[in-house]
Amino acid sequence: MTYAIAEAAHRSGLSIDTLRYYERIQLIDPPARDSGGRRAYSDDDLAWLEFLTKLRMTGMPIRMMREYAKLRHQGMSTAGRRKQILVEQRAEVLSRIAELNSCLDVLNYKISNYELCERDVITEEHAATA
């Protein structure tokens, strides 16, 4: 199955401009063209875009994504380096998760504290009207 650029953008969650940018910086291969010369994205293209989107969501810099994409084209001989890139990114993600969990702990503590304060205010108001 093939998809026009607008459909590929919709399915990938990326903008048309982002798809063209990714093509320009060689994150994605130039897609096939239909008989009218329009880009025709395949299911494999969409799967690759989904992976790239996940990498971006992890905070991976574009330069590392480009290195990964370049290595991908060189075949299985680059599997070790590609794995290393992903292992390093996983460590970054785990570090960020730990930081966010620490922030979440602070938020939960403050919310619990305010819930206690609210209960105290209600109890005081109830005692004052009794």
Side-chain angles (χ1 to χ4, degrees):
M1 180 120 204
T2 61
Y3 309 92
I5 193 166
E7 181 66 16
H10 174 74
R11 287 177 177 265
S12 68
L14 300 169
S15 69
I16 291 172
D17 288 338
T18 298
L19 292 178
R20 288 181 176 139
Y21 172 69
Y22 279 7
E23 184 180 339
R24 191 170 58 254
I25 66 169
Q26 299 175 336
L27 268 181
I28 61 174
D29 294 332
R33 300 284 178 149
D34 67 14
S35 60
R38 294 175 298 266
R39 289 169 173 86
Y41 292 86
S42 68
D43 288 323
D44 287 343
D45 292 331
L46 293 180
W48 176 242
L49 287 167
E50 182 179 357
F51 180 68
L52 290 174
T53 299
K54 297 291 187 206
L55 292 180
R56 274 311 279 154
M57 287 177 65
T58 70
M60 181 179 279
I62 291 285
R63 67 177 171 72
M64 292 307 301
M65 292 170 62
R66 288 182 67 203
E67 179 181 350
Y68 189 95
K70 180 180 174 185
L71 291 167
R72 175 177 172 248
H73 283 293
Q74 295 173 15
M76 289 307 296
S77 65
T78 65
R81 175 63 184 139
R82 285 185 281 161
K83 177 184 168 192
Q84 179 185 2
I85 290 169
L86 297 177
V87 166
E88 290 169 3
Q89 191 61 28
R90 179 179 60 189
E92 290 291 322
V93 168
L94 290 170
S95 176
R96 285 190 18 235
I97 288 171
E99 289 172 5
L100 287 172
N101 278 326
S102 175
C103 293
L104 184 58
D105 289 343
V106 170
L107 291 172
N108 286 335
Y109 170 79
K110 294 299 275 184
I111 289 167
S112 294
N113 187 50
Y114 285 123
E115 287 170 350
L116 289 174
C117 291
E118 288 174 329
R119 272 189 242 132
D120 289 346
V121 167
I122 291 170
T123 302
E124 289 173 10
E125 289 174 353
H126 182 41
T129 60

